[in-house]
Amino acid sequence: MSSILEKYNLKHVINASGRMTALGVSTPLPEVEETVCFGLNHYFEMKDLVNKSGEYIARLLDVENAVVVSSASAGIAQSVAAMIVRGNAYRLEHLHAHAHDVPTEIVIPKGHNVNYGAPVGTMINLGGGRIVEAGWSNECSAAQLGAAINANTAAILYIKSHHCVQKSMLTVEDAAAVAKAHNVPLIVDAAAEEDLRLYYQQGADLVIYSGAKAIEGPTSGLVLGKHEYVEWVKQQTAGIGRAMKVGKEGILGLTHAIELYLERQQESGTAMVEKMAPFINGLNALPGIQSRVVWDSAGRDIARAEVSFDADVFGLSAKDAVTKLQNGNPAVYCRAYKANEGSIEFDVRSVSQEQLQQVLAAMTELNQE
C-alpha cells in the first residue's frame, strides 16, 4: 500500500514507542480486518448489535455486562455521565443545560489527574462531572481518598496508567474497599492494561479499556462491569454519547479482537528482552550511549530498551535525537517521556527485527553527523 503513502505524501513510520494514539495505536490481525469489512458492508439493528455483542463479551470475560464504545476516552466521559444521570430521562437530555440537584463530584487521586494526550479532567467535565482531588501529587492513601468523599460524590475514578504517579499510591483493591465503605461506585480507567478481568474481580464497578491498545482491535473502547451501570452507559447514546458513537464495524471488530486476544499466547517480557538483545548491544557500541533493559513503570510485563545519552560524546542531546529520529525517513518514534532527563526508550512490541536494524542504523547515522 505504498501508493497510499505517496498519494497523501505521508511518511513511513517505525513505531518503537508502543501502542500510542498519536501513531494510530496498533495493527489488527487479518481476521479482525475481515470482520471489520463484514461490518462495513452489512446493515444491522444497531441496538440489537450493541446489546448482543455486549452480552457475548460479558460471557467471554465472566462479567455482568459490557458495551463497545468509540474509545477509552469516550468510555470515561460516558461512565461519568452514567453515574450522574443514573437512568433519569430528563438529566440524560439536559446534562449540560443547567446544574442538577444530584451528586456530580468525581473523586480522583491527585497523582492520577494527568494528561494522557488529553486531560483526564476534560473527559470528566464532558460527562458532567467536577474533579475533586484526593491526597497529594506523590501520595494518596485509602484514608485520604475516603476523606475526599462527601454527599456530592458521584463516583471515584482510578487511572491505572504509566502516565500516573506510581509511588505511595493506593491500589485498585484499596480504592474498591473505600468505594464500598462509602457506597459510591468505582470507575477504573485501564486503557492500556492487558488483563481484561483483573480490576472487575478486584471490586471495580466499571472498567474501561482501549480496544486498539493491548487488544489490538480497531479504534474503539470497552466498558464492562455491573449490569445496571453498563446499561446507564448505553443510555448515553441518546445523550453525550451521540457525539462519540462507535460504528458497526468497530463493534464487530473489537468483539472478534477480544476473542482472539483471549485465545492467543501473548508476547512475554522475557521474549522482548531476547528480541532486543542484539539491538541493545549495537546501541552500546555507539560512543556516548548506554543502553539497558528496563521494565514498564506501571507493572505490566513489558520490557523496553532504555538509551541514555552523554550529549558531549554522542554529539546530540536526547531531546535533539528524538526530533531528528522523527524527522527521518522512515520516521522513528520512541518513548520520549524522559528525554529532558537525558534518556529515551524503545518499545519493541510493534517492531520487527528488520525495523530494529533500521532504528539502529538511524541512531548510528545521528552519531556520525
Side-chain angles (χ1 to χ4, degrees), residues 10 29 31 42 84-85 87 156 165 199 238-239 242 244 250 258 260 290-291 317 326 338 341:
L10 299 171
L29 292 170
E31 300 96 313
H42 291 81
I84 295 170
V85 171
I156 297 169
V165 174
Y199 304 113
R242 179 68 178 186
M244 313 169 190
I258 291 170
L260 296 171
Q290 287 189 334
S291 184
S317 68
Q326 291 179 1
K338 295 182 179 180
E341 299 175 5

Side-chain angles (χ1 to χ4, degrees), residues 309 311 314-327 336 339-340 342 344 363 366 369:
F309 289 74
F314 187 74
L316 286 174
S317 68
K319 291 180 70 174
D320 289 338
V322 167
T323 300
K324 285 185 174 290
L325 287 170
Q326 291 179 1
N327 289 336
N340 63 309
I344 60 177
M363 286 287 293
L366 291 184
E369 288 183 354

Side-chain angles (χ1 to χ4, degrees), residues 145-258:
L145 186 69
I149 296 172
N150 59 50
N152 197 37
T153 301
I156 297 169
L157 176 61
Y158 188 106
I159 310 294
K160 181 64 179 172
S161 170
H162 70 277
H163 291 292
C164 297
V165 174
Q166 305 297 324
K167 67 177 184 178
S168 301
M169 288 288 162
L170 78 171
T171 64
V172 170
E173 288 176 299
D174 295 332
V178 172
K180 185 175 181 181
H182 290 268
N183 196 30
V184 296
L186 171 64
I187 304 167
V188 174
D189 170 36
E193 292 295 299
E194 299 176 328
D195 193 322
L196 304 184
R197 299 182 177 97
L198 179 63
Y199 304 113
Y200 176 77
Q201 293 171 346
Q202 289 181 346
D205 297 290
L206 288 175
V207 188
I208 302 157
Y209 295 92
S210 166
K213 291 191 176 177
I215 303 169
E216 294 187 282
T219 299
S220 56
L222 174 67
V223 182
L224 58 83
K226 299 293 178 62
H227 181 81
E228 183 177 42
Y229 293 165
V230 173
E231 289 300 308
W232 288 348
V233 172
K234 290 182 189 178
Q235 288 177 350
Q236 289 303 313
T237 57
I240 65 164
R242 179 68 178 186
M244 313 169 190
K245 63 184 178 182
V246 61
K248 50 194 165 68
E249 70 281 0
I251 295 171
L252 288 169
L254 179 58
T255 303
H256 194 184
I258 291 170

Side-chain angles (χ1 to χ4, degrees), residues 252-274:
L252 288 169
L254 179 58
T255 303
H256 194 184
I258 291 170
E259 218 174 355
L260 296 171
Y261 180 74
L262 296 174
E263 291 173 354
R264 73 179 185 268
Q265 180 70 39
Q266 304 303 316
E267 185 180 18
S268 68
T270 301
M272 295 175 207
V273 172
E274 183 178 345

Side-chain angles (χ1 to χ4, degrees), residues 273-297:
V273 172
E274 183 178 345
K275 177 180 180 178
M276 62 190 176
F279 176 63
I280 288 176
N281 290 337
L283 288 170
N284 281 326
L286 298 176
I289 291 295
Q290 287 189 334
S291 184
R292 62 180 183 131
V293 172
V294 293
W295 294 87
D296 181 70
S297 61

